[in-house]
Amino acid sequence: MPKMTTAELKALLAAEKADALSAVQSSQLSVERTDAIDYYLGDMSRDMPAPEGRSRAVSTDVADTIEGMMPSLMDIFCSGDEVVEFHPVGEKDVAAAEQETDYVNHMFMQKNPGFLILYSFIKDALLSKVGIVKVWWEEEEREQRETFYRLTDEQFMMIVANPAVEIVAHTVHEIPLLAAATEDTPAKVASEAPAAEGPPAETAG
């Protein structure tokens, strides 16, 4: 095994130190999250333990504070028509920026539960010191059935050439000077869209 250089040794020790500190901080954060949830639920048994058979202390200060802050924080993102706005870099980008703004806001607030995602994200950050939103691009396949009547051969071949269409039935009717056909064609259409959700804060390590 080749001898380790001084620089390599320092890098190794720095990495080990960072891992150790990260583990300590993660453990401390886990304890703080547990305490915060207890306080949010009004449980004061850790700080003010009650003797057996006696009433215990309950305080909702943490819950009252967080719930009192949520409306004003949600207003920052949801009070207007746009959660996100894209600004053009130049005059040629104005139309594209407007389209991007409309698309992102539509996908986040209409196609996804944007309000609930933001609510969970902000509340988790206040209560557990971390707020997480998971974002991904989702592909799904939908199937729909369509029936076409009195198509010409050219029209029928255009449908057959579509890779997303599966012909399940085809009836040909011979008509003088004009060929017509009836097709029963279900189409499997693949659609793509961005999706988002807010996972529980306790799963964030």
Side-chain angles (χ1 to χ4, degrees), residues 57-77:
V58 175
S59 173
T60 61
D61 289 349
V62 174
D64 294 342
T65 300
I66 291 178
E67 298 301 335
M69 295 174 64
M70 286 302 299
S72 59
L73 292 174
M74 289 298 296
D75 278 344
I76 296 175
F77 297 97

Side-chain angles (χ1 to χ4, degrees), residues 17-148:
K17 179 181 179 180
D19 289 343
L21 291 175
S22 176
V24 172
Q25 293 172 354
S26 177
S27 177
Q28 179 64 26
L29 182 60
S30 179
V31 173
E32 292 174 355
R33 287 174 179 170
T34 301
D35 291 342
I37 292 175
D38 288 340
Y39 293 149
Y40 181 82
L41 298 176
D43 186 355
M44 301 291 294
S45 58
R46 179 175 179 176
D47 299 297
M48 302 178 64
E52 185 177 354
R54 301 293 297 273
S55 301
R56 60 186 181 88
V58 175
S59 173
T60 61
D61 289 349
V62 174
D64 294 342
T65 300
I66 291 178
E67 298 301 335
M69 295 174 64
M70 286 302 299
S72 59
L73 292 174
M74 289 298 296
D75 278 344
I76 296 175
F77 297 97
C78 300
S79 59
D81 296 331
E82 299 172 346
V83 177
V84 178
E85 182 179 1
F86 290 82
H87 294 280
V89 177
E91 294 182 358
K92 297 181 179 179
D93 302 324
V94 174
E98 292 177 351
Q99 186 177 25
E100 291 163 357
T101 298
D102 293 340
Y103 176 76
V104 172
N105 281 284
H106 174 74
M107 296 306 299
F108 185 67
M109 297 301 292
Q110 303 298 325
K111 293 295 185 179
N112 291 279
F115 183 89
L116 294 178
I117 291 172
L118 287 173
Y119 187 91
S120 299
F121 167 72
I122 295 173
K123 191 169 184 178
D124 286 345
L126 293 175
L127 180 60
S128 302
K129 297 186 177 183
V130 61
I132 297 174
V133 175
K134 177 183 175 182
V135 180
W136 71 97
W137 189 266
E138 187 172 86
E139 297 183 9
E140 64 176 359
E141 192 173 82
R142 298 194 307 267
E143 183 175 312
Q144 63 185 29
R145 183 180 294 266
E146 296 182 4
T147 303
F148 301 91

